[in-house]
Amino acid sequence: MEYGICNLAVIPLRAEPNDKSEQVSQILFGEAFEIVEWTNRWARVITDYDNYEGWIGRLQFVMLGHIAYKSLKQITPAITYRAVTQAWKKPDNTVLYLPVGSALVFLKGTTCHINNEKFEIIGEIGETEPLDITAKSFLNTAYLWGGRTHYGIDCSGFTQTVFKLQGIYLRRDAWMQAEQGTTVDFISEAKLGDLAFFENEEGRITHVGIMLNNSQIIHASGRVKIDSIDSEGIYSEEQNRYTHKLRIIKRLINGHK
């Protein structure tokens, strides 16, 4: 088995081995993956963090040895909490602008070591903020299919990232996340941090957002924004209509009021 690790700030994970193929997710700095197939220019990978599969360009990562990969599996590396964290790449004297949630792997002091490359972290990486503050830091971030950063994010990427910064694991897609947690029976019982899931006309879960209370939700739709929600679904004041039909509310965090 072969393994790799992202040594760039962020790389697109695509559905097919083609530059024009849709981006299904992103791999952030320091995130490792298993390589399951090669082509001339592409590698099909399964991500270590969320077990998500797709294709990445062969020039956009470096190989990771079996021992190094196994050692990563046994620890939880520090992550960045700021929207942007600078990392000075010593070998070529350049700067990478790491997105929130990047993994600071093989960290010694303030230096990440990836193979023979050294990345000096500049400034503080930040710290965990309350969930509502973390979520609101993404307000007005543009919707981007497959996105996971402040420069573009999709609905499930938004919930996954916010929860990651709280130390809580979420799977990648909305329908996957809907299988986690416990059901909240009535929207009147919803609390900060509950996840609300929404279905399309075929009954498939296609959207997710984070409840701020039992009448407001923050979610990525066009951009990250706060909308009203009731038992029918999300009501958009901008569009003067319901935009998403509520399917279920799940709770993964206890203790929020």
Side-chain angles (χ1 to χ4, degrees), residues 52-165:
Y52 211 67
E53 185 173 324
W55 293 85
I56 58 177
R58 293 186 67 154
L59 299 179
Q60 297 181 330
F61 67 93
V62 294
M63 299 297 292
L64 189 64
H66 177 80
I67 295 176
Y69 179 79
K70 292 300 182 183
S71 68
L72 274 185
K73 295 280 286 184
Q74 296 173 2
I75 62 172
T76 301
I79 62 173
T80 60
Y81 290 90
R82 299 184 183 278
V84 177
T85 300
Q86 294 185 60
W88 171 36
K89 185 179 179 182
K90 291 185 176 181
D92 59 8
N93 199 32
T94 58
V95 175
L96 274 66
Y97 297 90
L98 310 183
V100 68
S102 295
L104 302 182
V105 294
F106 307 115
L107 188 66
K108 295 181 180 179
T110 58
T111 304
C112 289
H113 297 75
I114 299 180
N115 294 347
N116 295 323
E117 298 178 333
K118 296 181 180 180
F119 300 85
E120 181 73 21
I121 305 303
I122 302 172
E124 298 179 356
I125 65 172
E127 58 186 8
T128 304
E129 297 277 4
L131 184 141
D132 56 336
I133 294 176
T134 298
K136 289 177 181 177
S137 76
F138 286 88
L139 283 171
N140 293 310
T141 296
Y143 182 90
L144 175 65
W145 182 264
R148 296 176 63 201
T149 78
H150 284 84
Y151 294 101
I153 204 161
D154 64 19
C155 67
S156 55
F158 170 63
T159 53
Q160 185 191 54
T161 299
V162 170
F163 275 62
K164 180 181 184 180
L165 298 175

Side-chain angles (χ1 to χ4, degrees), residues 174-235:
W175 68 270
M176 297 175 176
Q177 296 174 8
E179 297 176 347
Q180 299 179 243
T182 58
T183 301
V184 176
D185 294 325
F186 304 100
I187 192 170
S188 60
E189 300 174 348
K191 299 179 180 180
L192 170 65
D194 290 345
L195 294 177
F197 297 91
F198 306 86
E199 63 185 11
N200 62 12
E201 294 180 354
E202 289 76 37
R204 294 188 301 110
I205 291 176
T206 57
H207 191 65
V208 61
I210 301 171
M211 300 292 291
L212 294 175
N213 48 55
N214 62 12
S215 62
Q216 286 185 308
I217 187 170
I218 183 168
H219 64 128
S221 179
R223 67 182 189 280
V224 177
K225 58 182 180 175
I226 297 173
D227 279 321
S228 299
I229 182 173
D230 58 28
S231 58
E232 290 190 47
I234 296 175
Y235 185 82

